[in-house]
Amino acid sequence: MTQPTGREGDRAADPADGAEAAEPRAAASAPSAAPVVSDDGPVVSDDGPGWAEPHAATHATHVEATAGSRDLLRQLVVAISAVVAVVVAFIGSGAAGGTRIQDAAGGALDADATLLAPGRGAFVIWSVIYLGLLAYAVWQFLPSQRASERHRRLGSLVAASMLLNATWILTVQAGLLGLSVAVIALLLVVLCLAYATCVRLPPHRIADAILTDGTIGLYLGWVCVATAANLTAALVAAGFDGWGLPPEAWAVLVIAVATAAVAALGVFSRGGIAPMLSACWGLAWIAVARLGGEPASAVVGIAAIAGIVLIVGVTVSARMVAGRNRRLGSPR
C-alpha cells in the first residue's frame, strides 16, 4: 500500500486539524445573542436577555400624558357646564327679560297651580345649589384634584346634570310640560348615580365633603321634590281625572313616594344630611302653601309635615347606627 504524499499526507496525518478548522466556520455561521437596540433603548431579543425598563418607562409616560389630557378635558367640560347652567338659570329667573319659570307653560308650575306646588319662597334653594355647583366646578379644577378617582367618576355625571337642568328650564319656557317631565326624570336618575358614587368613594377632606357631597346631596334632595311637583303639574295640565280618586288622595300618594325615596337615600348613605335638608325644605314649603295659601288642603299640608318627620327620623337613625358601627369597628 502506498503512503499519501504532499498535502494529502499532511491533512491525513492530523485529523484534529480539520475539526479545529471547522470551529471558526461554525462560530461564524451561529446567530448572534447580542440584544437588539431600538430608538427607545435596549429591549429583550429572542436570543437572550436585554433591558426592557427604558421601553416600559416610555410607555408609562405616554399613558400618563393621555390620562392627564383626559382629566383636563373633564375639568373643562364640568366648568363650562356650570357656566351654562347658571346663565340659563339667570334667563329662567326673568332677570334678563325672559319668561319666569312660574309664568311659563301657562303658570302650570306656579305656587297656586297644584296641590303639590311649593310656595314661592322654596325656590331660594336654587341659589344655594348653583353656588355649590360653581364652587364644585372650581374645586375639581384644582391641580390637586385633577387625577382624583372621585372626580373622574363624578365629572361626567355632574356635567350631565347641569346640562339637563338647563334643558329643563328651556323646555318649560317653550311650554313643553310633558317633555319637561322626561327631562327632570332623567336628571333625577343622573343625580342618583352621582350621589351613589359619592357614597361608594367617600371623601378624605372636609372641603371635598362639603363642596362635592354637600352640593350633589342638596341638588338630589330638591330634585326629588321638584320631580313630584313637575309630574303633578303635567298631569293636571293634561286633564288627568285621577281615575276616580280625589286630587288630595293622589297628592298624598305622591308625597308618600317622594318621602320613601328620600328616606331610602338616608339609609343608603348611612345618614347623609344634604338630601334630607333640601327635601325637607321642599316639603315644608308645600305644607306652607297648602295650609296658608291656595289651593288650600289641610290633608296635603299635614301629609307633607309627616313626610318631613319620617325623613328626619330615618336619616338621623341611620347616621346614629353608622356612627355606632364605626366605633365598634364594624364595616357597616
Side-chain angles (χ1 to χ4, degrees), residues 17-316:
D17 290 345
E20 292 173 358
E23 288 178 359
R25 290 195 299 272
S29 63
S32 173
V36 178
V37 179
S38 69
D39 293 338
D40 296 328
V43 298
V44 176
S45 71
D46 294 336
D47 304 311
W51 302 274
E53 289 80 358
H55 179 73
T58 301
H59 177 70
T61 301
H62 175 71
V63 170
E64 290 176 0
T66 302
S69 299
R70 291 176 179 174
D71 289 334
L72 180 59
L73 177 61
R74 181 202 74 238
Q75 291 175 305
L76 287 171
V77 169
V78 171
I80 293 171
S81 299
V83 173
V84 170
V86 171
V87 170
V88 174
F90 182 73
I91 295 173
S93 69
T99 304
R100 297 187 309 165
I101 293 297
Q102 297 94 322
D103 301 328
L109 296 174
D110 205 353
D112 58 357
T114 69
L115 289 172
L116 289 183
R120 291 186 176 179
F123 301 100
V124 173
I125 196 172
W126 274 119
S127 299
V128 180
I129 292 173
Y130 284 124
L131 182 61
L133 290 172
L134 287 173
Y136 170 76
V138 173
W139 169 255
Q140 62 88 37
F141 211 100
L142 296 177
S144 61
Q145 304 302 313
R146 178 166 297 174
S148 168
E149 186 62 25
R150 290 192 95 217
H151 298 307
R152 284 175 173 170
R153 300 280 186 91
L154 285 169
S156 58
L157 293 171
V158 176
S161 74
M162 291 187 285
L163 295 178
L164 282 169
N165 187 55
T167 302
W168 180 84
I169 292 174
L170 297 176
T171 302
V172 171
Q173 287 191 323
L176 303 174
L177 204 57
L179 181 58
S180 73
V181 174
V183 174
I184 201 170
L186 182 56
L187 172 59
L188 180 61
V189 171
V190 170
L191 287 174
C192 285
L193 294 174
Y195 193 65
T197 301
C198 289
V199 174
R200 292 183 179 125
L201 296 175
H204 298 292
R205 300 175 63 178
I206 294 178
D208 198 19
I210 294 174
L211 297 177
T212 304
D213 301 55
T215 297
I216 294 174
L218 285 176
Y219 198 0
L220 174 58
W222 171 253
V223 169
C224 285
V225 177
T227 301
N230 195 170
L231 176 61
T232 303
L235 290 174
V236 170
F240 179 64
D241 61 4
W243 294 330
L245 290 176
E248 286 183 324
W250 277 105
V252 171
L253 178 61
V254 173
I255 287 175
V257 172
T259 297
V262 179
L265 284 174
V267 174
F268 172 74
S269 63
R270 296 181 290 276
I273 296 298
M276 177 196 76
L277 292 177
S278 55
C280 289
W281 173 267
L283 288 173
W285 277 101
I286 290 176
V288 168
R290 300 293 74 81
L291 296 175
E294 295 294 333
S297 173
V299 172
V300 175
I302 293 172
I305 295 172
I308 294 171
V309 173
L310 181 61
I311 289 171
V312 172
V314 171
T315 303
V316 172

